[in-house]
């Protein structure tokens, strides 16, 4: 049912590297979100977008940045990865406009060594 | 902060009904009650949502009290694959979803 895709599924990378986590949806949804989740812990909203050229920071402070140049694409970038960035990153989207049902991707498990 | 309160964990025997409670005593009149679940480390999956009437779909039933201050998600015949963390969220148009700790449901053989 959900047409939202995240790549890569797993990423192991060294400290100081620049990384981009990809998220794409084919449902034409305006609203997109990035959540961060540590093992066994709650999801925390780190970024969201209500449409093209709209990006906002979420409830949890994050050193990552996002962009929304196209409706279907909402990539997340870390300029210089650190071990503290090790976590699972989940992308989601919703049409909004009263229908707030969220669709989630499978997530990217990031490990920074 | 999450506007709901859920038990930390629950057990249910396979084949029996699983009844997951949620308190949302500060819910406002135009806020919906949503339920999601997260199996292992996958992305959360939508289950059901409602405003004031009881709702049923192929996955579950949602019972909302008349004063809307609490609700119950019912999985009528729980299977081992229903073992997951279940999140109850109240949300309104334009709001971002805030996920609390949820209830960890363990379905036992």
């Amino acid at each position: 049912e959900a047409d939202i895709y995240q790549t890569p599924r797993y990423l192991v990378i060294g400290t100081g590297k620049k990384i981009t986590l990809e998220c794409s949806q084919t449902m034409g949804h305006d609203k997109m979100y990035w959540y961060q989740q540590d093992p066994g812990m709650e999801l925390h909203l780190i970024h969201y977008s209500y449409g093209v050229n709209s990006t906002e920071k979420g409830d949890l402070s994050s050193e990552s940045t996002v962009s929304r140049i196209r409706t279907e694409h909402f990539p997340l970038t870390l300029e210089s990865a650190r071990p503290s960035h090790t976590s699972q990153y989940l992308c989601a989207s919703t049409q909004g406009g009263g229908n707030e049902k969220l669709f989630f991707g499978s997530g990217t498990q990031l490990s920074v060594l | 902060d999450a506007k709901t309160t859920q038990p930390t964990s629950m057990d249910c025997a396979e084949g029996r009904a699983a009844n997951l409670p949620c308190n949302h005593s500060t819910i406002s009149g135009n806020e919906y009650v949503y339920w999601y679940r997260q199996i292992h480390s996958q992305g959360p999956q939508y289950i059901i949502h409602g405003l004031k009437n009881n709702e049923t779909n192929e996955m579950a039933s949602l019972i909302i009290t008349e004063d809307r201050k609490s609700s119950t998600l019912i999985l009528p015949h729980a299977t081992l694959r229903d073992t997951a963390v279940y999140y109850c969220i109240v949300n309104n148009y334009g709001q971002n979803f805030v996920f609390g700790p949820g209830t960890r449901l363990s379905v036992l053989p």
Side-chain angles (χ1 to χ4, degrees), chain A residues 3-8 20-34 48-55 66-77 91-93:
Chain A
D3 295 318
I4 180 165
Y5 308 100
Q6 290 186 244
T7 58
T20 296
L21 309 184
E22 302 287 349
C23 177
S24 295
Q25 50 94 7
T26 59
M27 297 171 283
H29 286 172
D30 289 325
K31 295 183 177 181
M32 296 189 74
Y33 306 83
W34 278 102
Y48 61 97
S49 167
Y50 285 169
V52 171
N53 294 325
S54 152
T55 60
V66 292
S67 62
R68 190 88 182 276
I69 298 173
R70 303 198 315 265
T71 297
E72 63 270 22
H73 196 212
F74 191 39
L76 181 146
T77 298
C91 181
S93 72

Side-chain angles (χ1 to χ4, degrees), chain B residues 7 12 15 27 45 64-65 67 69 82 84-85 87 98:
Chain B
C12 176
I27 192 170
Q45 175 192 24
I64 302 174
T65 58
D67 63 8
K69 293 185 176 181
D82 292 322
V85 177
Y87 301 100
V98 177

Side-chain angles (χ1 to χ4, degrees), chain A:
Chain A
E1 180 187 56
D3 295 318
I4 180 165
Y5 308 100
Q6 290 186 244
T7 58
R9 182 70 179 90
Y10 301 95
L11 178 61
V12 181
I13 202 163
T15 296
K17 299 292 186 182
K18 177 180 179 179
I19 60 170
T20 296
L21 309 184
E22 302 287 349
C23 177
S24 295
Q25 50 94 7
T26 59
M27 297 171 283
H29 286 172
D30 289 325
K31 295 183 177 181
M32 296 189 74
Y33 306 83
W34 278 102
Y35 288 85
Q36 184 176 342
Q37 185 179 35
D38 292 330
M41 304 299 286
E42 301 172 33
L43 286 84
H44 292 286
L45 180 67
I46 54 174
H47 296 285
Y48 61 97
S49 167
Y50 285 169
V52 171
N53 294 325
S54 152
T55 60
E56 302 288 344
K57 290 189 179 294
D59 304 320
L60 181 68
S61 176
S62 174
E63 294 171 341
S64 59
T65 59
V66 292
S67 62
R68 190 88 182 276
I69 298 173
R70 303 198 315 265
T71 297
E72 63 270 22
H73 196 212
F74 191 39
L76 181 146
T77 298
L78 278 165
E79 291 293 334
S80 180
R82 295 207 300 269
S84 61
H85 297 140
T86 294
S87 189
Q88 177 165 237
Y89 294 84
L90 289 157
C91 181
S93 72
T94 181
Q95 181 55 45
N99 179 2
E100 304 294 334
K101 179 177 168 182
L102 274 176
F103 293 91
F104 278 85
S106 298
T108 293
Q109 180 60 53
L110 173 65
S111 296
V112 184
L113 306 178

Side-chain angles (χ1 to χ4, degrees), chain B residues 34-87:
Chain B
Y34 286 79
W35 282 84
Y36 286 79
R37 72 180 183 184
Q38 186 174 26
I39 297 174
H40 195 42
S41 58
Q42 299 176 22
Q45 175 192 24
Y46 166 84
I47 302 173
I48 199 168
H49 76 284
L51 183 63
K52 59 176 77 173
N53 298 322
N54 299 337
E55 302 286 346
T56 296
N57 63 19
E58 65 279 3
M59 290 182 68
S61 295
L62 173 60
I63 309 298
I64 302 174
T65 58
E66 191 169 343
D67 63 8
R68 303 211 322 125
K69 293 185 176 181
S70 65
S71 61
T72 301
L73 178 75
I74 301 172
L75 308 178
H77 304 287
T79 70
L80 299 179
R81 287 176 292 184
D82 292 322
T83 292
V85 177
Y86 287 76
Y87 301 100

